[in-house]
C-alpha cells in the first residue's frame, strides 16, 4: 500500500500564502502522476492541479497563476505553493498519487486524508 500524508494547512488572511506538502511512503514501486484536489463544505471534490513524473503540469483555471505545484521525485514528496489566497480557496486539500506498489502488477490511485486551508476575509 501507499500512504500519503499532507501538511502545511492552516488559517491565513486574504492575499496571504501557504505551502502544502504531501509525503508518499509505503511499498512504492513507481509513481506517475501526483496532484491536488480540494473539497469545500457542501461541494463536490474539485481538481486543482497535477504534475507528471517528467514535470508536466496542469492547473484548474481558478488557481492558474496563483498556485504552483512541484515535486521531489526522489523523496516522493509533492508541494503546492499557494499565493494570493482568497476566501473561496477555503477547503480541505487532498493529495493523490497514481502509483504501482511492489506487491501489485497494476496501477492504483491513492489519497491522503487532507489538510484544512481557511482563508479569512
Amino acid at each position: 500500500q501507499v500512504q500519503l500524508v499532507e501538511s502545511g494547512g492552516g488559517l491565513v488572511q486574504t492575499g496571504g500564502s501557504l505551502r502544502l506538502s504531501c509525503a508518499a511512503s509505503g511499498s512504492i514501486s513507481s509513481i506517475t502522476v501526483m496532484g491536488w484536489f480540494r473539497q469545500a463544505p457542501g461541494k463536490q471534490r474539485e481538481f486543482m492541479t497535477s504534475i507528471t513524473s517528467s514535470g508536466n503540469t496542469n492547473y484548474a483555471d481558478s488557481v492558474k497563476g496563483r498556485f504552483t505545484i512541484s515535486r521531489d521525485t526522489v523523496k516522493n514528496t509533492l508541494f503546492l505553493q499557494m499565493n494570493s489566497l482568497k476566501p473561496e480557496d477555503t477547503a480541505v486539500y487532498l493529495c493523490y498519487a497514481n502509483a504501482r506498489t511492489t506487491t501489485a502488477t497494476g496501477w492504483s490511485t491513492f489519497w491522503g486524508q487532507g489538510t484544512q486551508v481557511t482563508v479569512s476575509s
Side-chain angles (χ1 to χ4, degrees):
Q1 284 289 352
V2 176
Q3 294 80 41
L4 300 175
V5 179
E6 302 97 334
S7 61
L11 174 64
V12 65
Q13 292 185 333
T14 296
S17 298
L18 282 175
R19 180 176 169 88
L20 305 183
S21 299
C22 173
S25 63
S27 54
I28 299 170
S29 174
S30 181
I31 298 177
T32 56
V33 180
M34 298 185 77
W36 296 91
F37 275 69
R38 70 185 180 190
Q39 188 160 21
K43 295 187 177 180
Q44 289 189 333
R45 191 170 291 188
E46 176 187 16
F47 169 79
M48 292 289 93
T49 178
S50 63
I51 184 168
T52 68
S53 56
S54 58
N56 293 319
T57 59
N58 189 27
Y59 293 93
D61 288 343
S62 59
V63 302
K64 201 172 293 183
R66 299 188 299 124
F67 291 10
T68 302
I69 191 171
S70 60
R71 176 176 171 179
D72 184 332
T73 55
V74 174
K75 296 182 178 179
N76 286 327
T77 303
L78 183 70
F79 303 98
L80 182 64
Q81 178 66 42
M82 305 187 295
N83 298 328
S84 303
L85 283 162
K86 307 173 182 180
E88 51 264 43
D89 293 319
T90 295
V92 174
Y93 284 70
L94 305 107
C95 71
Y96 73 93
N98 292 332
R100 184 168 57 193
T101 68
T102 57
T103 58
T105 57
W107 295 86
S108 298
T109 300
F110 298 90
W111 291 88
Q113 292 295 315
T115 185
Q116 176 70 45
V117 171
T118 303
V119 185
S120 63
S121 57

